[in-house]
């Protein structure tokens, strides 16, 4: 009998959110494979590729504690043997999609994500793959890629895992200073504060204005990059009150860019 394979692709510096994905995979599959690869193709030239947090020994201990059978830990040359500059084929992402939310500010990011995820799927050949919904736009992209390219993998999205104070778990939280770590949960709290206004028919522009002023009144260290609202397939919406929506945001706290969302 063939064994089912669950796959959790990561960029390492594992946290409890990753562990939730791993536990879901272990529950639903015979074998769980975790990959750790900080994918250069999804980082822009001014982004944090070099400084992205890495601690393989710590990650290995965590995976062992979770009872993970297999870790796939490729080097850049294993994934991009001809270097990125030598690639002829990558996955193209529709411009309308990649010019929304994160894509507007991270040129080429989603092409980089789609390409690495497709490559990893082809190498690992999983039956099921597990992603967190914190990166909601990324989740929809993978969902679309699986559909558009007839991939034989079932996608599972797990809710954003949060610290007890509401901050969405992210490897990048480690960049926060002690003072900024205290401020960071206000992003999620403020996101929820504006939901009633939107549900009652307030415009997204008004919501953004309030979101921005509440955060910047708290601290000048906050800078809102975007606050946008989409339907669950990440299509633009004209009304907020009908149907299921996702409110997505990226906020700089000092130099650290944090993303969060609320599904409503
Ligand atoms: O979400 C991430 O950690 C990355 O974008 C992913 C899916 C592992 C691809 O590099």
């Amino acid at each position: 009998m063939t064994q089912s394979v669950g796959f959790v692709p990561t960029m390492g510096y594992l946290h409890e959110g990753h562990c939730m994905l791993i536990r879901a995979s272990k529950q639903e599959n015979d074998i769980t494979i975790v990959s750790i690869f900080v994918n250069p193709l999804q980082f822009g030239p001014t982004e944090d590729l070099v400084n992205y947090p890495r601690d393989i020994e710590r990650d290995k201990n965590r995976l062992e504690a979770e009872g993970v059978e297999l870790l796939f830990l490729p080097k850049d040359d294993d994934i991009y043997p001809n270097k990125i500059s030598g690639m002829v084929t990558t996955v193209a992402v529709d411009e309308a999609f990649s010019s929304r939310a994160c894509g507007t500010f991270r040129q080429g990011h989603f092409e980089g994500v789609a390409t690495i995820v497709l490559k990893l799927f082809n190498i690992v050949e999983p039956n099921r793959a597990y992603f967190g919904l914190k990166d909601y736009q990324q989740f929809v992209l993978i969902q679309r890629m699986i559909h558009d390219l007839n991939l034989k993998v079932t996608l599972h999205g797990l809710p954003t895992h949060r610290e007890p104070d509401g901050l969405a778990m992210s490897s990048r939280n480690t960049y926060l200073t002690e003072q900024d770590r205290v401020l960071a949960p206000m992003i999620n709290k403020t996101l929820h504060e504006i939901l009633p206004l939107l549900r009652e028919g307030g415009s997204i522009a008004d919501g953004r204005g309030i979101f921005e002023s509440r955060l910047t009144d708290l601290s000048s260290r906050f800078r809102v990059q975007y606050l946008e609202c989409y339907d669950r397939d990440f299509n633009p919406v004209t009304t907020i009150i009908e149907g299921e929506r996702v409110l997505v945001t990226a906020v700089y706290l000092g130099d650290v860019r944090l993303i969060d969302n609320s599904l409503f």
Side-chain angles (χ1 to χ4, degrees), residues 4-10 21-22 24-26 29 31-37 70-74 116-131 153-156:
S4 63
V5 175
F7 179 42
V8 182
T10 81
L21 303 179
I22 289 167
S25 171
K26 284 188 67 73
N29 300 282
I31 299 168
T32 288
I33 302 179
V34 174
S35 66
I36 297 180
F37 180 63
L70 279 165
L71 165 63
F72 179 45
L73 185 61
I116 188 62
V117 171
L118 181 60
K119 282 168 78 72
L120 291 170
F121 282 174
N122 284 337
I123 295 165
V124 173
E125 296 186 358
N127 301 92
R128 302 185 183 89
Y130 296 80
F131 288 79
V153 55
T154 306
L155 184 65
H156 293 252

Side-chain angles (χ1 to χ4, degrees), residues 9-11 18 35 37 39 42 52 109 112-113 116-117 120 131 135 138 142:
T10 81
M11 298 206 297
H18 295 115
S35 66
F37 180 63
N39 172 36
Q42 70 188 72
Y52 193 83
H109 170 68
V113 169
I116 188 62
V117 171
L120 291 170
F131 288 79
D135 297 286
Q138 167 175 284
I142 307 302

Side-chain angles (χ1 to χ4, degrees), residues 101 190-213 224-231 234-241 245-250 260-262 264:
T190 312
L191 202 59
H192 280 93
E193 280 171 5
I194 62 161
L195 283 184
L197 170 102
L198 298 179
R199 282 207 197 92
E200 284 157 21
S203 73
I204 185 71
D206 289 347
R208 190 203 145 110
I210 296 171
F211 182 69
E212 194 155 28
S213 61
V224 177
Q225 189 176 57
Y226 68 78
L227 178 83
E228 295 173 13
C229 192
Y230 295 94
D231 71 11
F234 229 77
N235 296 309
V237 290
T238 46
T239 81
I240 306 287
I241 37 186
R245 304 289 186 240
V246 59
L247 189 62
V248 287
T249 189
D260 204 344
N261 66 63
S262 177
F264 66 104

